[in-house]
Amino acid sequence: MKGNDTKHISELEFWAGNVEREGILQNSFYETFYVSDFKIDPEDYIGKAILDIGCGPRGSLEWADMAGLRIGLDPLVNEYYKLDGGTLSHKMKYVSGYSEDMPFPDETFDFVFSINSLDHVDDLDETISEIKRVLKIGGICGIIVDANHKPTVNEPITIDLDLKDKFSDVFDVIDERAYETVYKTGFRHNLDDPTFYDFDNGEVRPAILLLKLRKVKQYVADFDKTPKKDADSFNILFNQNKKLKKENMELKKQVKAFKDRKVVKFADKFKSARK
């Protein structure tokens, strides 16, 4: 997710279409991913720091009100505020940023998730490197992703079913599941009514991969990266997002006030006409 304008425009059009159909974007179904699918007890999240990579505007962590910190990372956060699909009212925090260079200090999070986003990034290896960096030792990484598909504008990365090997230097595998992509309507139907992937079938075909990993070793990056963000820059980032959110809410109030004035004027005009 690093400055690909064509991809970003396409993703915004997708979300704008959802806002047009739904009005306020729904998010109640997300809890199932983080609890049932990854087999994590809700109590395990109490007081913990959770990161959702490529969160979108729905409020993927709204359910986790027991957490100490819940952050959605997405390069389109500022645009999501403008869509007016409910993002402005969410209790979770949104941070505008790229998965390849996350604006967080080392070992910030107890849980890091990527649900339907890891194949959307621009650089898979850099993204995985950042996941390893920002997760605490003993922390859990959960991934659900489309695998074996052809690259598209929105999903330029093809994920292999041996994805776990890219994490093996610092992670242990707790759970690994691969499902046939039977339903074309998204993850939920395929996870609720699963058909396990037939590895004896040599044909390369779309699949859904679920990984649950635990970080067991300290991570040292294999290549030079930009200096890691310290706590001060972390707080500055939140203040910038808070200011933008406030500005967007003020704009919404102004638009509503303008519409209300038009309604009042129309009502007065209608009353005068009836007299």
Side-chain angles (χ1 to χ4, degrees), residues 30 44 58 85 93 125-126 143 153 163 201 214 217:
Y30 275 113
D44 292 339
R58 283 188 179 275
K93 293 182 182 293
D125 288 333
E126 283 195 24
I143 296 169
V153 172
L163 178 65
N201 180 348
R214 175 176 283 113
K217 296 178 183 176

Side-chain angles (χ1 to χ4, degrees), residues 24 62 81 85-92 245 249 252:
I24 300 299
E62 283 297 279
Y81 286 148
T87 310
L88 282 167
S89 64
H90 294 158
K91 300 291 174 50
M92 63 180 280
K245 186 172 181 178
M249 291 184 74
K252 282 182 67 177

Side-chain angles (χ1 to χ4, degrees), residues 16-62:
N18 278 272
V19 171
E20 187 175 346
R21 286 189 297 273
E22 297 178 41
I24 300 299
L25 294 172
Q26 303 303 302
N27 53 45
S28 59
F29 58 87
Y30 275 113
E31 183 176 4
T32 302
F33 287 111
Y34 299 93
V35 175
S36 301
D37 292 329
F38 288 115
K39 300 176 183 176
I40 300 174
D41 193 301
E43 291 188 356
D44 292 339
Y45 290 114
I46 294 175
K48 302 299 185 181
I50 309 173
L51 173 66
D52 182 18
I53 299 170
C55 58
R58 283 188 179 275
S60 59
L61 298 177
E62 283 297 279

Side-chain angles (χ1 to χ4, degrees), residues 254-265:
Q254 292 175 11
V255 171
K256 184 178 184 302
F258 176 74
K259 289 179 178 178
D260 290 345
R261 285 198 300 272
K262 287 181 70 175
V263 170
V264 170
K265 285 181 179 178

